[in-house]
Amino acid sequence: MRIENEIAIVRDLHQKNDKAINFLIQHNRNPQQAWDFLQNYDLPSGDLVGSHSIARWIVDKQQIPSFIDDYKIATIRVINDIKVHIKTSGNENSQQLLFPEKDEIKLYQSEFDASAYEAGVAALSNEQREALRTWTALDEEHGLHYSDGTPEINDGINFELNQKLFDDRPLTAEEQITYDNMNAAMASGKIPTSRGDYIRESHYTSSMFDPWAAKAIKVGDIVTNSRAFMSVSSETDFVKSAVTDNGGISEPVESFIFYKFENADQPIPLLPLTLSVANAESEFLYCPNSLFRVTGISVSQAASLIGMKPDQVTLKRTGVTLSEVKKKNFDKILLFAIYLPEKA
């Protein structure tokens, strides 16, 4: 019997709640497909057999207008033998970000003119070029040279500078010079950018307030990286390694956040060996006070924390898709920054 016929019986009995009935008809064509579809959702305890009973339950509960929000409690996955619930709102691409160690995250990149990039960097002032190279410095000597023959800089400033910017603390004279020259270089328009998708990982420990877990940020809100510069990557290797090494910090990570910046063209590339000696990072940089609209949020959490090992608790993840917002085209800024300190 087709699901339309079975649902008709329920409609005749109840005469109301067509939204729930139409929901099932829209998504399924027969009872078996309906049942298979609903296996992905947490349903009430009890013996619900077949799509007729499920539809009857929906109608009886009279939870029609918000069926998906209220009763699509989670998509279910099994990660490392742990049952995980996933709730998504907005852009479903956000769900693809949750488990980079398991799933392929597709990042689109437009073609890039390396010659124009070299010429653009060469057109910067010496101070501007040195400031960007200081940002990317690795604090250890490799004996390398940049593509213009200049010896590598190995006294990095990014962690200290960004931490002070984010904490709104005063900068030293050296830091202020670097800050000013970085901003001037990024605003000069001399460095070509590339339209594409970029990714970033952040993390929260138990001592930090997690606005995503608190549901303080919703789809449609605008967020900012505040006063700090913000690095993103065109490759997924960094976010994969962050999951496996606890984010590179000593305190246990309580949750990971993965951001995907879709169809972006504002961050400048810090390509090796023109501005960076870090070959594997594929780093791009956003200037301070950039704005982004939240287009999708997916949250995963283990079904139960009972008996879980500490390294399994970090299955608590948030995937966020973002689109760039021009500063003149926004209505409000949600005062939660999406920056967290870079690795020391």
Side-chain angles (χ1 to χ4, degrees):
M1 182 183 295
R2 294 179 61 82
I3 190 172
E4 290 86 342
N5 297 331
E6 294 199 13
I7 295 300
I9 299 172
V10 180
R11 181 184 288 118
D12 290 340
L13 290 173
H14 295 272
Q15 301 298 321
K16 292 181 180 180
N17 305 322
D18 282 350
K19 289 185 178 180
I21 295 167
N22 291 334
F23 171 82
L24 290 181
I25 293 175
Q26 177 183 353
H27 286 84
N28 308 279
R29 295 184 178 277
N30 60 56
Q32 183 60 50
Q33 288 177 339
W35 179 251
D36 291 343
F37 175 79
L38 289 165
Q39 292 306 298
N40 292 323
Y41 300 85
D42 278 354
L43 295 170
S45 59
D47 296 325
L48 292 177
V49 180
S51 57
H52 179 93
S53 298
I54 295 171
R56 177 79 173 260
W57 171 78
I58 294 170
V59 175
D60 284 344
K61 283 293 185 181
Q62 297 185 355
Q63 297 291 346
I64 307 313
S66 58
F67 172 74
I68 292 182
D69 290 337
D70 291 344
Y71 289 97
K72 183 183 174 183
I73 298 173
T75 299
I76 298 172
R77 286 191 63 179
V78 177
I79 304 293
N80 299 336
D81 298 324
I82 301 296
K83 183 180 178 182
V84 173
H85 287 177
I86 302 170
K87 180 68 180 290
T88 298
S89 57
N91 187 348
E92 293 186 355
N93 288 343
S94 58
Q95 190 171 140
Q96 302 169 2
L97 307 175
L98 294 172
F99 304 103
E101 71 273 35
K102 298 287 185 181
D103 303 328
E104 179 185 2
I105 300 175
K106 295 181 179 180
L107 301 177
Y108 162 79
Q109 297 292 322
S110 64
E111 293 185 5
F112 190 75
D113 188 336
S115 297
Y117 178 77
E118 285 278 354
V121 172
L124 297 173
S125 71
N126 290 336
E127 293 78 12
Q128 292 170 356
R129 191 165 47 250
E130 181 176 329
L132 291 175
R133 288 173 173 174
T134 300
W135 170 269
T136 64
L138 296 178
D139 289 335
E140 54 187 42
E141 188 172 351
H142 297 84
L144 299 174
H145 290 74
Y146 299 103
S147 54
D148 59 3
T150 305
E152 67 173 328
I153 296 173
N154 51 48
D155 185 15
I157 199 174
N158 59 355
F159 181 81
E160 295 82 1
L161 175 62
N162 244 12
Q163 190 64 63
K164 284 187 175 182
L165 291 171
F166 193 68
D167 294 341
D168 202 20
R169 288 183 284 146
L171 304 180
T172 66
E174 179 187 6
E175 290 167 342
Q176 187 66 53
I177 291 172
T178 300
Y179 174 84
D180 291 340
N181 280 312
M182 286 180 64
N183 272 313
M186 297 175 74
S188 69
K190 295 177 181 179
I191 305 178
T193 61
S194 174
R195 182 173 292 278
D197 301 330
Y198 303 94
I199 195 166
R200 175 177 175 80
E201 173 270 333
S202 293
H203 44 263
Y204 292 91
T205 65
S206 58
S207 61
M208 299 176 178
F209 173 67
D210 182 350
W212 305 101
K215 299 181 181 179
I217 304 176
K218 296 179 173 59
V219 170
D221 285 336
I222 294 176
V223 293
T224 177
N225 57 324
S226 187
R227 297 182 66 224
F229 294 94
M230 183 173 66
S231 297
V232 296
S233 179
S234 60
E235 302 289 343
T236 60
D237 291 346
F238 180 75
V239 297
K240 291 178 182 178
S241 63
V243 173
T244 57
D245 72 356
N246 195 56
I249 63 174
S250 56
E251 186 178 352
V253 169
E254 189 166 277
S255 64
F256 283 104
I257 318 295
F258 302 107
Y259 303 101
K260 183 181 181 183
F261 303 78
E262 296 189 316
N263 200 29
D265 64 0
Q266 293 182 21
I268 67 164
L270 302 176
L271 301 186
L273 289 164
T274 309
L275 288 176
S276 172
V277 294
N279 292 323
E281 289 192 355
S282 303
E283 183 178 7
F284 290 66
L285 193 65
Y286 274 104
C287 66
N289 300 309
S290 297
L291 301 176
F292 310 91
R293 188 177 300 278
V294 178
T295 60
I297 303 173
S298 288
V299 179
S300 74
Q301 186 166 338
S304 173
L305 298 180
I306 298 175
M308 292 183 65
K309 299 176 182 178
D311 62 334
Q312 293 174 320
V313 176
T314 53
L315 290 176
K316 184 177 181 181
R317 314 279 182 85
T318 301
V320 179
T321 53
L322 300 158
S323 62
E324 295 174 341
V325 175
K326 305 297 183 184
K327 291 188 178 181
K328 62 181 181 180
N329 296 330
F330 72 93
D331 47 5
K332 65 175 182 176
I333 300 178
L334 187 64
L335 296 179
F336 286 115
I338 56 176
Y339 159 84
L340 277 175
E342 306 288 338
K343 291 184 180 180

PDB file of all heavy atoms in Angstrom, residues 188-221:
ATOM      1  N   SER A 188      46.113  47.732   0.759  1.00  0.00           N
ATOM      2  CA  SER A 188      46.713  48.393  -0.405  1.00  0.00           C
ATOM      3  C   SER A 188      46.091  47.957  -1.723  1.00  0.00           C
ATOM      4  O   SER A 188      46.164  48.684  -2.717  1.00  0.00           O
ATOM      5  CB  SER A 188      48.219  48.112  -0.438  1.00  0.00           C
ATOM      6  OG  SER A 188      48.455  46.729  -0.735  1.00  0.00           O
ATOM      7  N   GLY A 189      45.496  46.775  -1.744  1.00  0.00           N
ATOM      8  CA  GLY A 189      44.950  46.239  -2.988  1.00  0.00           C
ATOM      9  C   GLY A 189      45.999  45.698  -3.933  1.00  0.00           C
ATOM     10  O   GLY A 189      45.681  45.295  -5.060  1.00  0.00           O
ATOM     11  N   LYS A 190      47.249  45.658  -3.496  1.00  0.00           N
ATOM     12  CA  LYS A 190      48.330  45.194  -4.369  1.00  0.00           C
ATOM     13  C   LYS A 190      48.449  43.672  -4.397  1.00  0.00           C
ATOM     14  O   LYS A 190      48.986  43.105  -5.343  1.00  0.00           O
ATOM     15  CB  LYS A 190      49.656  45.816  -3.922  1.00  0.00           C
ATOM     16  CG  LYS A 190      49.695  47.333  -4.071  1.00  0.00           C
ATOM     17  CD  LYS A 190      51.002  47.917  -3.537  1.00  0.00           C
ATOM     18  CE  LYS A 190      51.000  49.440  -3.668  1.00  0.00           C
ATOM     19  NZ  LYS A 190      52.252  50.038  -3.126  1.00  0.00           N
ATOM     20  N   ILE A 191      47.975  43.009  -3.362  1.00  0.00           N
ATOM     21  CA  ILE A 191      48.097  41.551  -3.292  1.00  0.00           C
ATOM     22  C   ILE A 191      46.820  40.919  -3.838  1.00  0.00           C
ATOM     23  O   ILE A 191      45.737  41.110  -3.274  1.00  0.00           O
ATOM     24  CB  ILE A 191      48.332  41.084  -1.847  1.00  0.00           C
ATOM     25  CG1 ILE A 191      49.558  41.783  -1.249  1.00  0.00           C
ATOM     26  CG2 ILE A 191      48.496  39.578  -1.793  1.00  0.00           C
ATOM     27  CD1 ILE A 191      49.814  41.407   0.194  1.00  0.00           C
ATOM     28  N   PRO A 192      46.907  40.165  -4.926  1.00  0.00           N
ATOM     29  CA  PRO A 192      45.703  39.529  -5.484  1.00  0.00           C
ATOM     30  C   PRO A 192      45.117  38.518  -4.495  1.00  0.00           C
ATOM     31  O   PRO A 192      45.844  37.847  -3.765  1.00  0.00           O
ATOM     32  CB  PRO A 192      46.226  38.816  -6.737  1.00  0.00           C
ATOM     33  CG  PRO A 192      47.552  39.428  -7.033  1.00  0.00           C
ATOM     34  CD  PRO A 192      48.112  39.867  -5.718  1.00  0.00           C
ATOM     35  N   THR A 193      43.796  38.442  -4.466  1.00  0.00           N
ATOM     36  CA  THR A 193      43.118  37.430  -3.659  1.00  0.00           C
ATOM     37  C   THR A 193      42.499  36.396  -4.582  1.00  0.00           C
ATOM     38  O   THR A 193      42.427  36.586  -5.797  1.00  0.00           O
ATOM     39  CB  THR A 193      42.023  38.061  -2.777  1.00  0.00           C
ATOM     40  OG1 THR A 193      41.044  38.689  -3.610  1.00  0.00           O
ATOM     41  CG2 THR A 193      42.617  39.079  -1.818  1.00  0.00           C
ATOM     42  N   SER A 194      42.052  35.301  -3.979  1.00  0.00           N
ATOM     43  CA  SER A 194      41.498  34.195  -4.762  1.00  0.00           C
ATOM     44  C   SER A 194      40.121  33.839  -4.193  1.00  0.00           C
ATOM     45  O   SER A 194      39.984  33.611  -2.999  1.00  0.00           O
ATOM     46  CB  SER A 194      42.429  32.980  -4.681  1.00  0.00           C
ATOM     47  OG  SER A 194      41.845  31.857  -5.311  1.00  0.00           O
ATOM     48  N   ARG A 195      39.107  33.809  -5.060  1.00  0.00           N
ATOM     49  CA  ARG A 195      37.770  33.432  -4.599  1.00  0.00           C
ATOM     50  C   ARG A 195      37.723  31.930  -4.359  1.00  0.00           C
ATOM     51  O   ARG A 195      38.203  31.142  -5.171  1.00  0.00           O
ATOM     52  CB  ARG A 195      36.706  33.830  -5.613  1.00  0.00           C
ATOM     53  CG  ARG A 195      35.283  33.497  -5.149  1.00  0.00           C
ATOM     54  CD  ARG A 195      34.248  34.055  -6.084  1.00  0.00           C
ATOM     55  NE  ARG A 195      34.208  35.500  -6.058  1.00  0.00           N
ATOM     56  CZ  ARG A 195      33.568  36.233  -5.151  1.00  0.00           C
ATOM     57  NH1 ARG A 195      32.903  35.616  -4.162  1.00  0.00           N
ATOM     58  NH2 ARG A 195      33.577  37.538  -5.191  1.00  0.00           N
ATOM     59  N   GLY A 196      37.142  31.552  -3.229  1.00  0.00           N
ATOM     60  CA  GLY A 196      37.057  30.127  -2.944  1.00  0.00           C
ATOM     61  C   GLY A 196      36.548  29.855  -1.545  1.00  0.00           C
ATOM     62  O   GLY A 196      36.002  30.732  -0.877  1.00  0.00           O
ATOM     63  N   ASP A 197      36.750  28.621  -1.107  1.00  0.00           N
ATOM     64  CA  ASP A 197      36.314  28.177   0.221  1.00  0.00           C
ATOM     65  C   ASP A 197      37.536  28.015   1.114  1.00  0.00           C
ATOM     66  O   ASP A 197      38.563  27.472   0.677  1.00  0.00           O
ATOM     67  CB  ASP A 197      35.587  26.833   0.134  1.00  0.00           C
ATOM     68  CG  ASP A 197      34.366  26.898  -0.760  1.00  0.00           C
ATOM     69  OD1 ASP A 197      33.756  27.982  -0.846  1.00  0.00           O
ATOM     70  OD2 ASP A 197      34.023  25.875  -1.368  1.00  0.00           O
ATOM     71  N   TYR A 198      37.406  28.452   2.364  1.00  0.00           N
ATOM     72  CA  TYR A 198      38.500  28.363   3.321  1.00  0.00           C
ATOM     73  C   TYR A 198      37.980  27.758   4.610  1.00  0.00           C
ATOM     74  O   TYR A 198      36.779  27.789   4.897  1.00  0.00           O
ATOM     75  CB  TYR A 198      39.105  29.749   3.565  1.00  0.00           C
ATOM     76  CG  TYR A 198      39.595  30.401   2.297  1.00  0.00           C
ATOM     77  CD1 TYR A 198      38.782  31.281   1.584  1.00  0.00           C
ATOM     78  CD2 TYR A 198      40.852  30.094   1.788  1.00  0.00           C
ATOM     79  CE1 TYR A 198      39.219  31.844   0.391  1.00  0.00           C
ATOM     80  CE2 TYR A 198      41.297  30.666   0.594  1.00  0.00           C
ATOM     81  CZ  TYR A 198      40.472  31.538  -0.097  1.00  0.00           C
ATOM     82  OH  TYR A 198      40.898  32.087  -1.272  1.00  0.00           O
ATOM     83  N   ILE A 199      38.890  27.228   5.399  1.00  0.00           N
ATOM     84  CA  ILE A 199      38.477  26.519   6.613  1.00  0.00           C
ATOM     85  C   ILE A 199      39.342  26.957   7.787  1.00  0.00           C
ATOM     86  O   ILE A 199      40.491  27.379   7.611  1.00  0.00           O
ATOM     87  CB  ILE A 199      38.570  24.982   6.392  1.00  0.00           C
ATOM     88  CG1 ILE A 199      37.807  24.244   7.493  1.00  0.00           C
ATOM     89  CG2 ILE A 199      40.016  24.519   6.275  1.00  0.00           C
ATOM     90  CD1 ILE A 199      37.563  22.789   7.171  1.00  0.00           C
ATOM     91  N   ARG A 200      38.750  26.860   8.969  1.00  0.00           N
ATOM     92  CA  ARG A 200      39.460  27.220  10.194  1.00  0.00           C
ATOM     93  C   ARG A 200      38.965  26.346  11.328  1.00  0.00           C
ATOM     94  O   ARG A 200      37.782  25.989  11.391  1.00  0.00           O
ATOM     95  CB  ARG A 200      39.217  28.696  10.538  1.00  0.00           C
ATOM     96  CG  ARG A 200      39.835  29.110  11.865  1.00  0.00           C
ATOM     97  CD  ARG A 200      39.650  30.589  12.156  1.00  0.00           C
ATOM     98  NE  ARG A 200      40.149  30.919  13.491  1.00  0.00           N
ATOM     99  CZ  ARG A 200      41.421  31.108  13.805  1.00  0.00           C
ATOM    100  NH1 ARG A 200      42.349  31.009  12.858  1.00  0.00           N
ATOM    101  NH2 ARG A 200      41.789  31.383  15.034  1.00  0.00           N
ATOM    102  N   GLU A 201      39.863  26.006  12.234  1.00  0.00           N
ATOM    103  CA  GLU A 201      39.510  25.234  13.432  1.00  0.00           C
ATOM    104  C   GLU A 201      39.715  26.099  14.665  1.00  0.00           C
ATOM    105  O   GLU A 201      40.698  26.831  14.773  1.00  0.00           O
ATOM    106  CB  GLU A 201      40.395  23.982  13.536  1.00  0.00           C
ATOM    107  CG  GLU A 201      40.223  23.190  14.830  1.00  0.00           C
ATOM    108  CD  GLU A 201      41.175  23.633  15.943  1.00  0.00           C
ATOM    109  OE1 GLU A 201      42.267  24.143  15.629  1.00  0.00           O
ATOM    110  OE2 GLU A 201      40.803  23.482  17.132  1.00  0.00           O
ATOM    111  N   SER A 202      38.781  26.030  15.596  1.00  0.00           N
ATOM    112  CA  SER A 202      38.935  26.617  16.916  1.00  0.00           C
ATOM    113  C   SER A 202      38.511  25.568  17.935  1.00  0.00           C
ATOM    114  O   SER A 202      38.012  24.507  17.567  1.00  0.00           O
ATOM    115  CB  SER A 202      38.094  27.892  17.077  1.00  0.00           C
ATOM    116  OG  SER A 202      38.575  28.916  16.232  1.00  0.00           O
ATOM    117  N   HIS A 203      38.692  25.863  19.196  1.00  0.00           N
ATOM    118  CA  HIS A 203      38.333  24.880  20.212  1.00  0.00           C
ATOM    119  C   HIS A 203      38.031  25.590  21.530  1.00  0.00           C
ATOM    120  O   HIS A 203      38.471  26.713  21.767  1.00  0.00           O
ATOM    121  CB  HIS A 203      39.461  23.858  20.410  1.00  0.00           C
ATOM    122  CG  HIS A 203      40.815  24.480  20.477  1.00  0.00           C
ATOM    123  ND1 HIS A 203      41.646  24.563  19.381  1.00  0.00           N
ATOM    124  CD2 HIS A 203      41.479  25.087  21.500  1.00  0.00           C
ATOM    125  CE1 HIS A 203      42.763  25.181  19.723  1.00  0.00           C
ATOM    126  NE2 HIS A 203      42.692  25.513  20.995  1.00  0.00           N
ATOM    127  N   TYR A 204      37.258  24.919  22.352  1.00  0.00           N
ATOM    128  CA  TYR A 204      36.899  25.447  23.664  1.00  0.00           C
ATOM    129  C   TYR A 204      37.256  24.415  24.728  1.00  0.00           C
ATOM    130  O   TYR A 204      37.040  23.216  24.547  1.00  0.00           O
ATOM    131  CB  TYR A 204      35.400  25.756  23.738  1.00  0.00           C
ATOM    132  CG  TYR A 204      34.983  26.912  22.868  1.00  0.00           C
ATOM    133  CD1 TYR A 204      34.562  26.704  21.560  1.00  0.00           C
ATOM    134  CD2 TYR A 204      35.017  28.219  23.342  1.00  0.00           C
ATOM    135  CE1 TYR A 204      34.183  27.757  20.745  1.00  0.00           C
ATOM    136  CE2 TYR A 204      34.641  29.283  22.550  1.00  0.00           C
ATOM    137  CZ  TYR A 204      34.226  29.045  21.248  1.00  0.00           C
ATOM    138  OH  TYR A 204      33.853  30.094  20.445  1.00  0.00           O
ATOM    139  N   THR A 205      37.804  24.911  25.832  1.00  0.00           N
ATOM    140  CA  THR A 205      38.055  24.072  26.996  1.00  0.00           C
ATOM    141  C   THR A 205      36.954  24.355  28.024  1.00  0.00           C
ATOM    142  O   THR A 205      36.106  25.229  27.832  1.00  0.00           O
ATOM    143  CB  THR A 205      39.431  24.369  27.607  1.00  0.00           C
ATOM    144  OG1 THR A 205      39.441  25.709  28.122  1.00  0.00           O
ATOM    145  CG2 THR A 205      40.527  24.226  26.554  1.00  0.00           C
ATOM    146  N   SER A 206      36.985  23.638  29.112  1.00  0.00           N
ATOM    147  CA  SER A 206      35.931  23.791  30.122  1.00  0.00           C
ATOM    148  C   SER A 206      35.939  25.176  30.761  1.00  0.00           C
ATOM    149  O   SER A 206      34.928  25.625  31.303  1.00  0.00           O
ATOM    150  CB  SER A 206      36.091  22.722  31.210  1.00  0.00           C
ATOM    151  OG  SER A 206      37.365  22.820  31.827  1.00  0.00           O
ATOM    152  N   SER A 207      37.076  25.878  30.693  1.00  0.00           N
ATOM    153  CA  SER A 207      37.169  27.201  31.313  1.00  0.00           C
ATOM    154  C   SER A 207      36.692  28.315  30.385  1.00  0.00           C
ATOM    155  O   SER A 207      36.667  29.484  30.778  1.00  0.00           O
ATOM    156  CB  SER A 207      38.616  27.482  31.731  1.00  0.00           C
ATOM    157  OG  SER A 207      39.470  27.467  30.600  1.00  0.00           O
ATOM    158  N   MET A 208      36.315  27.980  29.159  1.00  0.00           N
ATOM    159  CA  MET A 208      35.898  28.976  28.178  1.00  0.00           C
ATOM    160  C   MET A 208      34.392  28.940  27.981  1.00  0.00           C
ATOM    161  O   MET A 208      33.769  27.892  28.094  1.00  0.00           O
ATOM    162  CB  MET A 208      36.575  28.720  26.823  1.00  0.00           C
ATOM    163  CG  MET A 208      38.074  28.798  26.826  1.00  0.00           C
ATOM    164  SD  MET A 208      38.720  28.349  25.193  1.00  0.00           S
ATOM    165  CE  MET A 208      40.477  28.587  25.451  1.00  0.00           C
ATOM    166  N   PHE A 209      33.821  30.092  27.679  1.00  0.00           N
ATOM    167  CA  PHE A 209      32.408  30.144  27.318  1.00  0.00           C
ATOM    168  C   PHE A 209      32.274  29.802  25.843  1.00  0.00           C
ATOM    169  O   PHE A 209      32.920  30.412  24.982  1.00  0.00           O
ATOM    170  CB  PHE A 209      31.839  31.532  27.579  1.00  0.00           C
ATOM    171  CG  PHE A 209      30.429  31.699  27.062  1.00  0.00           C
ATOM    172  CD1 PHE A 209      29.379  30.985  27.628  1.00  0.00           C
ATOM    173  CD2 PHE A 209      30.171  32.551  26.004  1.00  0.00           C
ATOM    174  CE1 PHE A 209      28.085  31.124  27.150  1.00  0.00           C
ATOM    175  CE2 PHE A 209      28.880  32.702  25.522  1.00  0.00           C
ATOM    176  CZ  PHE A 209      27.837  31.986  26.096  1.00  0.00           C
ATOM    177  N   ASP A 210      31.460  28.806  25.535  1.00  0.00           N
ATOM    178  CA  ASP A 210      31.237  28.359  24.167  1.00  0.00           C
ATOM    179  C   ASP A 210      29.880  28.892  23.702  1.00  0.00           C
ATOM    180  O   ASP A 210      28.842  28.349  24.044  1.00  0.00           O
ATOM    181  CB  ASP A 210      31.256  26.824  24.124  1.00  0.00           C
ATOM    182  CG  ASP A 210      31.065  26.280  22.709  1.00  0.00           C
ATOM    183  OD1 ASP A 210      30.729  27.068  21.801  1.00  0.00           O
ATOM    184  OD2 ASP A 210      31.237  25.054  22.527  1.00  0.00           O
ATOM    185  N   PRO A 211      29.861  29.958  22.892  1.00  0.00           N
ATOM    186  CA  PRO A 211      28.573  30.541  22.475  1.00  0.00           C
ATOM    187  C   PRO A 211      27.776  29.622  21.565  1.00  0.00           C
ATOM    188  O   PRO A 211      26.554  29.721  21.497  1.00  0.00           O
ATOM    189  CB  PRO A 211      28.987  31.818  21.747  1.00  0.00           C
ATOM    190  CG  PRO A 211      30.382  31.547  21.283  1.00  0.00           C
ATOM    191  CD  PRO A 211      31.000  30.674  22.329  1.00  0.00           C
ATOM    192  N   TRP A 212      28.473  28.703  20.874  1.00  0.00           N
ATOM    193  CA  TRP A 212      27.766  27.779  19.987  1.00  0.00           C
ATOM    194  C   TRP A 212      27.001  26.752  20.823  1.00  0.00           C
ATOM    195  O   TRP A 212      25.831  26.458  20.546  1.00  0.00           O
ATOM    196  CB  TRP A 212      28.737  27.106  19.044  1.00  0.00           C
ATOM    197  CG  TRP A 212      29.552  28.072  18.260  1.00  0.00           C
ATOM    198  CD1 TRP A 212      30.846  28.455  18.502  1.00  0.00           C
ATOM    199  CD2 TRP A 212      29.121  28.847  17.136  1.00  0.00           C
ATOM    200  NE1 TRP A 212      31.242  29.398  17.595  1.00  0.00           N
ATOM    201  CE2 TRP A 212      30.205  29.651  16.740  1.00  0.00           C
ATOM    202  CE3 TRP A 212      27.927  28.922  16.420  1.00  0.00           C
ATOM    203  CZ2 TRP A 212      30.134  30.526  15.654  1.00  0.00           C
ATOM    204  CZ3 TRP A 212      27.851  29.790  15.341  1.00  0.00           C
ATOM    205  CH2 TRP A 212      28.944  30.586  14.975  1.00  0.00           C
ATOM    206  N   ALA A 213      27.652  26.214  21.849  1.00  0.00           N
ATOM    207  CA  ALA A 213      26.977  25.249  22.709  1.00  0.00           C
ATOM    208  C   ALA A 213      25.828  25.904  23.472  1.00  0.00           C
ATOM    209  O   ALA A 213      24.808  25.266  23.755  1.00  0.00           O
ATOM    210  CB  ALA A 213      27.969  24.633  23.697  1.00  0.00           C
ATOM    211  N   ALA A 214      25.991  27.177  23.804  1.00  0.00           N
ATOM    212  CA  ALA A 214      24.949  27.903  24.526  1.00  0.00           C
ATOM    213  C   ALA A 214      23.832  28.390  23.609  1.00  0.00           C
ATOM    214  O   ALA A 214      22.872  29.002  24.078  1.00  0.00           O
ATOM    215  CB  ALA A 214      25.562  29.093  25.259  1.00  0.00           C
ATOM    216  N   LYS A 215      23.974  28.136  22.312  1.00  0.00           N
ATOM    217  CA  LYS A 215      22.988  28.569  21.311  1.00  0.00           C
ATOM    218  C   LYS A 215      22.798  30.083  21.324  1.00  0.00           C
ATOM    219  O   LYS A 215      21.714  30.597  21.026  1.00  0.00           O
ATOM    220  CB  LYS A 215      21.652  27.856  21.523  1.00  0.00           C
ATOM    221  CG  LYS A 215      21.740  26.342  21.402  1.00  0.00           C
ATOM    222  CD  LYS A 215      20.392  25.675  21.604  1.00  0.00           C
ATOM    223  CE  LYS A 215      20.529  24.162  21.504  1.00  0.00           C
ATOM    224  NZ  LYS A 215      19.229  23.467  21.715  1.00  0.00           N
ATOM    225  N   ALA A 216      23.879  30.779  21.677  1.00  0.00           N
ATOM    226  CA  ALA A 216      23.823  32.239  21.686  1.00  0.00           C
ATOM    227  C   ALA A 216      23.939  32.815  20.284  1.00  0.00           C
ATOM    228  O   ALA A 216      23.566  33.957  20.040  1.00  0.00           O
ATOM    229  CB  ALA A 216      24.947  32.794  22.569  1.00  0.00           C
ATOM    230  N   ILE A 217      24.481  32.036  19.354  1.00  0.00           N
ATOM    231  CA  ILE A 217      24.617  32.457  17.962  1.00  0.00           C
ATOM    232  C   ILE A 217      23.683  31.602  17.123  1.00  0.00           C
ATOM    233  O   ILE A 217      23.665  30.377  17.248  1.00  0.00           O
ATOM    234  CB  ILE A 217      26.064  32.307  17.477  1.00  0.00           C
ATOM    235  CG1 ILE A 217      27.027  33.076  18.391  1.00  0.00           C
ATOM    236  CG2 ILE A 217      26.195  32.807  16.045  1.00  0.00           C
ATOM    237  CD1 ILE A 217      28.481  32.898  18.037  1.00  0.00           C
ATOM    238  N   LYS A 218      22.938  32.245  16.247  1.00  0.00           N
ATOM    239  CA  LYS A 218      21.973  31.537  15.428  1.00  0.00           C
ATOM    240  C   LYS A 218      22.223  31.829  13.954  1.00  0.00           C
ATOM    241  O   LYS A 218      22.922  32.796  13.609  1.00  0.00           O
ATOM    242  CB  LYS A 218      20.551  31.941  15.814  1.00  0.00           C
ATOM    243  CG  LYS A 218      20.157  31.552  17.232  1.00  0.00           C
ATOM    244  CD  LYS A 218      18.747  32.005  17.563  1.00  0.00           C
ATOM    245  CE  LYS A 218      18.299  31.473  18.924  1.00  0.00           C
ATOM    246  NZ  LYS A 218      19.172  31.909  20.020  1.00  0.00           N
ATOM    247  N   VAL A 219      21.654  30.992  13.098  1.00  0.00           N
ATOM    248  CA  VAL A 219      21.747  31.211  11.662  1.00  0.00           C
ATOM    249  C   VAL A 219      21.168  32.583  11.331  1.00  0.00           C
ATOM    250  O   VAL A 219      20.100  32.958  11.810  1.00  0.00           O
ATOM    251  CB  VAL A 219      20.995  30.108  10.897  1.00  0.00           C
ATOM    252  CG1 VAL A 219      20.881  30.456   9.415  1.00  0.00           C
ATOM    253  CG2 VAL A 219      21.692  28.771  11.068  1.00  0.00           C
ATOM    254  N   GLY A 220      21.906  33.348  10.542  1.00  0.00           N
ATOM    255  CA  GLY A 220      21.496  34.702  10.181  1.00  0.00           C
ATOM    256  C   GLY A 220      22.215  35.773  10.956  1.00  0.00           C
ATOM    257  O   GLY A 220      22.261  36.935  10.514  1.00  0.00           O
ATOM    258  N   ASP A 221      22.789  35.435  12.119  1.00  0.00           N
ATOM    259  CA  ASP A 221      23.541  36.409  12.896  1.00  0.00           C
ATOM    260  C   ASP A 221      24.843  36.767  12.184  1.00  0.00           C
ATOM    261  O   ASP A 221      25.360  35.997  11.366  1.00  0.00           O
ATOM    262  CB  ASP A 221      23.865  35.866  14.288  1.00  0.00           C
ATOM    263  CG  ASP A 221      22.654  35.877  15.207  1.00  0.00           C
ATOM    264  OD1 ASP A 221      21.737  36.676  14.972  1.00  0.00           O
ATOM    265  OD2 ASP A 221      22.635  35.077  16.164  1.00  0.00           O
TER     266      ASP A 221
END
